[in-house]
Amino acid sequence: MRIVKKFRELGVLGMNARIGRYMLRYNDRANYPKVDDKALTAALASSHHIPMPANYAVFDSYGSLRNLEDTLAPFGAFVIKPARGSKGNGIIVITGRENGAFIRSNGARYTVRDLRYHMAQILSGLYSLSGYPDRVIIQYMIGIHPVFAPLSVNGVPDVRIIVFRGFPVMAMVRFPTRESGGRANLHQGAIGVGIDMLSGVTGSGVHHNRIITSHPDTGAALEGTAIPLWDEMLLMAVKGFDMTGLGYLGVDIALDADKGPMVLEMNARPGLAIQLANLTGLGSRLELFSDIPVEGIPPEARVARALDIIRENTV
Amino acid sequence: MNRKVWILIILLVALSAAPIVYKTVILGISFIPRVDKNLWTVEFTTKIKASPRVRRIGFPVPRPSDRVFIRDTQFDGKGMALTISRDPDGYVGHWRGRAAWDRTAYFKVILETVEKEYPQPGDDFTAAYSSKYTRYLAPSDLNAQELEDLSRIEKDIIPDTKNKTKLARAIYYFVYEEVLYNGNKRHTPIGQVLETLEASSWGKSKLFTVLCRRQGIPARMVGGIILRPQQEEEAKGKRKFFFWNEAYLDGKWKPVCATYGNFARLTAEYLPLFWDVESASDIVGDKDAKLTVHANKVESTEFTIHEYRNELHQANSWLLEYSLYMLPLRLQMLLKTLLLIPLGAVVLTFFRNIIGFKTFGIFMPVLLALFFMETSFLFGVGFFGVLVLLGAIERYYLEKLHLLAVPRLSIILTLVVIFLCVFSVLNQSSRLFHNFTPALFPIVITTIFIERFNLMLVEEGIENTARALAGTLVISLICYALFSVRMLQVIIFTYPEVLFTFIAVFILIGSYNGYRLSEFLRFRELLKRR
């Protein structure tokens, strides 16, 4: 019983409360497709002036895969994604070509045949959330920003910002590891590093629910990295609320070396590990924002308001 | 939680409690049916020799009564037609038709017998009987010597009274106590019995009948079998016919067994088959047919649906007309299984949402538990291992062949079927598992299971997969343990209204916003760092 009390004091958010108190209450089912279908997300994002990586091509049938080679010809580097995938599953990042083979981010070589097979699997629904047939997106490959290079292994990191009722409340940056196979997904062994909302500087991290201070593969220190263009990212994340109408939302933003921050995807069911990355209970942070009026306040003002509230409540 | 939800929960609980209280307290029906103790399969096998003529071969059929309850009947005439005539002297089945080659027809009954104590007959001074009973007074064919012996003995044993009950009792004591029982003797003639004072049950029964009839008491032989577990394994349940009597006393037929000593009482062991017939071959009526009877006890913890059903009928309430017990047996069996599913779901939701277990698919553990029930526990767990192995094959071998999803799954499905075939054949020769029959539905869940397993292996790695595997196995084992509690099964079947309470439980768990137990482990580092 003492441990329950301690957890409550820390404001730890549990799975049941996440679903019952936040997702069910603030996320209207009807809005889910806006974030679950990446093709739809991309279309909405462009109308809300939220930058996203360009889609080179979308495949929706097995037949269309036949001239895959021609379609891919102009692109040296690209990402293959299921439109309705989850947890980064089914994503393959191709970083270049050599002797007609495609080089994957982890160094593996793929033939066209391999890629076609993988894409056929995506089409058959192997990676889709519901298991229904899916579409394949060929997308612009994000180039790793130099700031993140020492902390990234085989993949691109992204910044996850939790947006509650249109206010940014908590954030972390997720670095891929060898174990995660280049995917920035904590479930698969990526690490999450907490970000101080006010300064945009990283703190300690989490790997498989354990607190860490250095990258498990490279040994680089996690603490003290200032996230470039942090204010821009916060604004982008907050606009995600206006775009989706989802009150409890996770916005994943990658930092491209050339084009700056871009929204990779949005998530209506963001995970709970962010609490460990920030050493802060998410429940108590969300509570701060449950009664703040949001109607008619522009995104920029909401960011400023959120940072004020967090500042006031930080000891 | 708001008040509306609480009211709903209270309403649901009341909805399930009210009928239970109504049935047990107001109508006074037993809370649950009691456990069967004396369930037997009795098989009448007729070996028929080929013959060109049209045949009519009889065999005795157990007659339902106040102490014999027929539960199920199966038969196979191997091309012969079956008719059953309900004669007053016992039910008789007949195989009819032409037997062009040798064949074995069987008629199998699953029945329950109970002990029955009849009221002891009062004084009976009846002098004349109606024509219905006079045939039971007819004298037997006896020679002069036998008649003389009988008169000699009667002088010693028959009391000087006109009270037929007293007379019958005296005869009973004589045959029971003075004539030694010898189960190895066959149909001993009366003369020999009187000379040696030793007889088979047939000899005792015949003597009792003759002595009664000579005193003007309507009496008849009853033939049947004794349902008693056999000592000798080789007998395989093969039974000899056993004989006892019925005497018409005080206006009722009263059972009397001068072999095991029962007067107006029959223990559950007696299964009567024919009345006033001296030999079963009279019933068979065909020289080229041989009847054998096998009886084996059904080792079961089944509940007496029959009696409970009668109780429901007697209660005569409109509500009870809709009881599940009024359904055909086969449907009852199916519903019994179906009713376990919500119980499994209660366990599952508890483990997933309160404890925080990971599982494959949502209802996979419950389906697995049903699968364990359907086959056997050992086989179920072994099969689970095979599934994991097949999943690994898919992951590490089939994946490399670059096949599309549906054909790849079809391969797995086919492998499961092949496994079941090979296993069935091996099992037949090794007899590892009794009555193993692969069912249809587990094969389908099997494929889903393998697919999920494989996908998870790809997506979340071995560690998470192992965790989900363990979670699935643990929950399904707990479900299996619960499902195996027969009492629980019967309670839910008897009171399906408890399902409303289950819904209330689901609402309670569903509105629980507190921590899952596993989360204390997951977020434990948050405590340390403060």
Side-chain angles (χ1 to χ4, degrees):
Chain A
M1 280 303 100
R2 241 181 64 226
I3 189 164
V4 181
K5 215 177 140 203
K6 268 190 175 163
F7 263 56
R8 285 223 180 104
E9 274 168 18
L10 288 175
V12 178
L13 184 66
M15 193 71 88
N16 291 338
R18 180 194 80 172
I19 299 168
R21 225 169 269 158
Y22 297 103
M23 277 169 53
L24 290 177
R25 198 168 301 174
Y26 295 102
N27 288 356
D28 187 349
R29 269 261 146 212
N31 289 327
Y32 275 42
K34 293 182 189 167
V35 294
D36 287 344
D37 186 333
K38 290 186 182 69
L40 185 57
T41 311
L44 281 170
S46 77
S47 65
H48 279 81
H49 307 291
I50 300 173
M52 279 187 87
N55 287 347
Y56 295 148
V58 176
F59 295 98
D60 53 8
S61 69
Y62 295 99
S64 62
L65 292 179
R66 241 176 302 165
N67 36 21
L68 182 64
E69 249 169 316
D70 298 340
T71 316
L72 293 179
F75 314 114
F78 52 89
V79 181
I80 300 172
K81 274 184 177 178
R84 297 162 57 82
S86 72
K87 299 180 183 174
N89 295 314
I91 295 180
I92 285 185
V93 180
I94 299 297
T95 54
R97 298 188 197 220
E98 205 178 279
N99 303 331
F102 295 89
I103 315 280
R104 200 181 160 179
S105 54
N106 61 6
R109 278 153 188 280
Y110 276 58
T111 61
V112 175
R113 193 174 121 87
D114 292 331
L115 290 186
R116 193 178 288 127
Y117 172 64
H118 181 76
M119 290 164 76
Q121 280 194 321
I122 293 175
L123 287 177
S124 72
L126 192 59
Y127 300 101
S128 80
L129 276 173
S130 49
Y132 292 123
D134 201 358
R135 284 177 291 172
V136 186
I137 297 174
I138 306 288
Q139 203 173 61
Y140 170 78
M141 193 201 75
I142 305 278
I144 297 175
H145 194 280
V147 171
F148 291 148
L151 287 163
S152 306
V153 177
N154 296 342
V156 184
D158 66 21
V159 172
R160 150 77 52 95
I161 300 174
I162 303 282
V163 179
F164 178 51
R165 299 179 64 247
F167 296 98
V169 296
M170 204 178 265
M172 66 172 165
V173 52
R174 306 185 298 177
F175 293 106
T177 60
R178 202 165 293 137
E179 184 193 346
S180 78
R183 291 171 292 194
N185 189 291
L186 301 194
H187 252 285
Q188 292 157 328
I191 58 172
V193 181
I195 301 174
D196 177 49
M197 290 296 286
L198 306 174
S199 63
V201 175
T202 58
S204 63
V206 61
H207 183 226
H208 284 308
N209 298 331
R210 297 210 151 258
I211 308 291
I212 52 167
T213 51
S214 59
H215 194 285
D217 297 329
T218 65
L222 303 176
E223 216 164 314
T225 304
I227 307 286
L229 303 167
W230 174 237
D231 296 335
E232 208 173 306
M233 286 188 189
L234 286 176
L235 185 61
M236 231 180 241
V238 165
K239 280 181 181 166
F241 166 72
D242 305 277
M243 172 187 137
T244 60
L246 292 166
Y248 182 68
L249 180 72
V251 181
D252 296 344
I253 301 168
L255 186 62
D256 184 57
D258 302 327
K259 305 190 176 180
M262 301 175 132
V263 169
L264 280 182
E265 62 176 335
M266 300 192 197
N267 200 322
R269 318 163 183 81
L272 298 172
I274 197 167
Q275 310 181 88
L276 284 162
N278 282 283
L279 299 173
T280 309
L282 181 56
S284 48
R285 187 64 69 81
L286 292 170
E287 285 296 298
L288 298 177
F289 292 89
S290 54
D291 296 323
I292 311 288
V294 62
E295 287 294 312
I297 309 178
E300 293 82 358
R302 287 206 302 268
V303 172
R305 184 78 208 277
L307 295 182
D308 283 344
I309 289 172
I310 292 170
R311 188 177 297 116
E312 281 162 24
N313 287 279
T314 313
V315 224
Chain B
M1 228 181 325
N2 62 40
R3 247 180 55 198
K4 263 188 203 155
V5 178
W6 278 115
I7 289 170
L8 181 62
I9 288 174
I10 290 167
L11 221 68
L12 284 166
V13 173
L15 208 54
S16 54
I20 297 176
V21 171
Y22 174 69
K23 282 190 225 175
T24 54
V25 178
I26 299 178
L27 294 179
I29 291 167
S30 335
F31 180 63
I32 55 164
R34 76 194 161 75
V35 180
D36 268 359
K37 293 222 174 62
N38 204 39
L39 205 61
W40 291 78
T41 55
V42 183
E43 196 169 332
F44 301 87
T45 315
T46 312
K47 276 199 172 140
I48 304 165
K49 275 211 188 113
S51 156
R53 67 204 152 84
V54 175
R55 314 285 280 276
R56 185 171 180 272
I57 301 159
F59 62 91
V61 171
R63 183 167 81 182
S65 70
D66 54 356
R67 48 175 300 283
V68 177
F69 306 102
I70 309 294
R71 291 298 192 69
D72 198 10
T73 305
Q74 294 164 18
F75 59 87
D76 187 350
K78 301 281 162 60
M80 308 277 278
L82 174 68
T83 54
I84 292 178
S85 51
R86 300 190 158 95
D87 298 342
D89 290 336
Y91 287 7
V92 178
H94 282 104
W95 299 117
R96 287 160 186 270
R98 226 182 281 271
W101 52 82
D102 290 0
R103 66 192 63 192
T104 306
Y106 80 86
F107 183 87
K108 189 159 123 186
V109 177
I110 296 174
L111 50 80
E112 192 204 354
T113 56
V114 295
E115 176 165 337
K116 189 100 189 178
E117 190 103 31
Y118 298 90
Q120 288 297 323
D123 293 344
D124 181 356
F125 294 101
T126 318
Y129 293 91
S130 68
S131 58
K132 203 174 154 193
Y133 299 100
T134 45
R135 54 183 279 223
Y136 300 113
L137 289 165
S140 298
D141 225 0
L142 299 170
N143 60 36
Q145 180 62 46
E146 284 172 334
L147 288 169
E148 201 189 309
D149 287 344
L150 278 171
S151 326
R152 183 166 46 77
I153 277 175
E154 280 165 348
K155 253 181 225 141
D156 290 344
I157 63 162
I158 302 293
D160 183 19
T161 175
K162 291 250 180 305
N163 184 346
K164 296 209 163 148
T165 302
K166 256 193 185 151
L167 287 166
R169 229 183 260 278
I171 294 166
Y172 160 73
Y173 283 126
F174 168 70
V175 180
Y176 173 45
E177 281 166 10
E178 302 298 329
V179 179
L180 199 68
Y181 172 57
N182 184 341
N184 294 323
K185 289 220 159 177
R186 303 259 322 160
H187 293 192
T188 344
I190 292 279
Q192 210 182 314
V193 173
L194 291 176
E195 194 184 322
T196 58
L197 287 182
E198 195 180 7
S200 62
S201 67
W202 186 89
K204 281 189 173 227
S205 167
K206 177 79 183 166
L207 181 60
F208 181 86
T209 311
V210 169
L211 285 170
C212 280
R213 288 187 180 182
R214 281 165 68 87
Q215 298 304 321
I217 306 164
R220 60 189 180 190
M221 291 173 80
V222 184
I225 53 175
I226 294 291
L227 300 174
R228 193 179 281 175
Q230 285 172 315
Q231 304 294 320
E232 324 82 52
E233 192 81 10
E234 316 87 71
K236 293 222 167 87
K238 193 173 167 184
R239 304 287 163 162
K240 276 190 223 167
F241 285 110
F242 183 91
F243 291 85
W244 64 97
N245 295 94
E246 275 177 14
Y248 190 74
L249 296 169
D250 197 13
K252 283 250 157 61
W253 283 107
K254 300 287 180 187
V256 177
C257 177
T259 302
Y260 293 131
N262 287 305
F263 195 89
R265 183 180 94 109
L266 281 183
T267 61
E269 292 175 336
Y270 293 83
L271 175 66
L273 292 171
F274 40 84
W275 285 259
D276 204 31
V277 174
E278 294 200 357
S279 167
S281 54
D282 295 349
I283 295 173
V284 176
D286 188 303
K287 281 203 175 57
D288 293 327
K290 192 169 178 289
L291 173 72
T292 45
V293 183
H294 293 263
N296 283 299
K297 194 165 170 122
V298 179
E299 294 303 334
S300 103
T301 45
E302 273 297 313
F303 290 78
T304 46
I305 293 160
H306 191 94
E307 286 213 340
Y308 188 77
R309 212 167 168 161
N310 279 348
E311 241 183 283
L312 290 184
H313 270 304
Q314 278 156 19
N316 200 19
S317 153
W318 63 271
L319 191 65
L320 302 173
E321 284 302 310
Y322 299 99
S323 166
L324 294 179
Y325 283 96
M326 298 302 159
L327 294 171
L329 271 183
R330 241 165 252 283
L331 194 54
Q332 286 193 26
M333 289 300 170
L334 177 73
L335 285 178
K336 245 179 212 173
T337 311
L338 283 186
L339 282 167
L340 290 177
I341 294 176
L343 180 66
V346 170
V347 175
L348 183 83
T349 45
F350 179 80
F351 272 86
R352 277 180 69 108
N353 290 358
I354 309 280
I355 311 270
F357 270 49
K358 284 189 91 157
T359 58
F360 285 116
I362 296 177
F363 291 107
M364 187 61 74
V366 181
L367 294 179
L368 268 178
L370 286 179
F371 177 60
F372 292 168
M373 291 283 291
E374 220 170 303
T375 55
S376 76
F377 174 70
L378 215 60
F379 176 80
V381 175
F383 191 70
F384 188 78
V386 171
L387 291 192
V388 173
L389 189 77
L390 283 172
I393 290 176
E394 188 191 4
R395 169 81 185 91
Y396 294 108
Y397 180 70
L398 284 184
E399 184 101 322
K400 299 209 165 41
L401 297 182
H402 289 195
L403 305 173
L404 294 176
V406 176
R408 198 184 55 227
L409 277 181
S410 306
I411 294 177
I412 289 292
L413 187 65
T414 311
L415 283 178
V416 172
V417 174
I418 291 174
F419 166 77
L420 285 174
C421 289
V422 172
F423 179 83
S424 300
V425 171
L426 291 181
N427 186 47
Q428 192 62 33
S429 50
S430 67
R431 307 215 159 268
L432 195 58
F433 298 101
H434 288 289
N435 355 303
F436 168 77
T437 40
L440 280 181
F441 116 104
I443 295 175
V444 179
I445 62 162
T446 292
T447 317
I448 301 169
F449 176 90
I450 293 173
E451 180 58 8
R452 291 253 160 215
F453 172 77
N454 182 45
L455 199 64
M456 197 160 182
L457 216 51
V458 181
E459 289 183 353
E460 304 196 13
I462 291 177
E463 201 189 308
N464 280 323
T465 310
R467 207 168 287 158
L469 206 60
T472 306
L473 194 60
V474 167
I475 296 177
S476 59
L477 289 186
I478 290 169
C479 285
Y480 172 75
L482 269 181
F483 290 177
S484 306
V485 179
R486 267 298 186 357
M487 186 66 89
L488 217 55
Q489 223 182 78
V490 170
I491 289 177
I492 299 178
F493 186 78
T494 313
Y495 302 104
E497 44 272 24
V498 298
L499 293 188
F500 291 119
T501 302
F502 285 8
I503 294 177
V505 170
F506 294 137
I507 292 176
L508 268 176
I509 295 180
S511 44
Y512 170 71
N513 279 342
Y515 298 112
R516 297 180 183 177
L517 279 180
S518 63
E519 284 167 350
F520 293 119
L521 199 67
R522 182 181 175 193
F523 296 121
R524 69 188 181 285
E525 297 245 341
L526 278 179
L527 294 181
K528 280 191 211 156
R529 298 286 154 158
R530 285 285 153 137

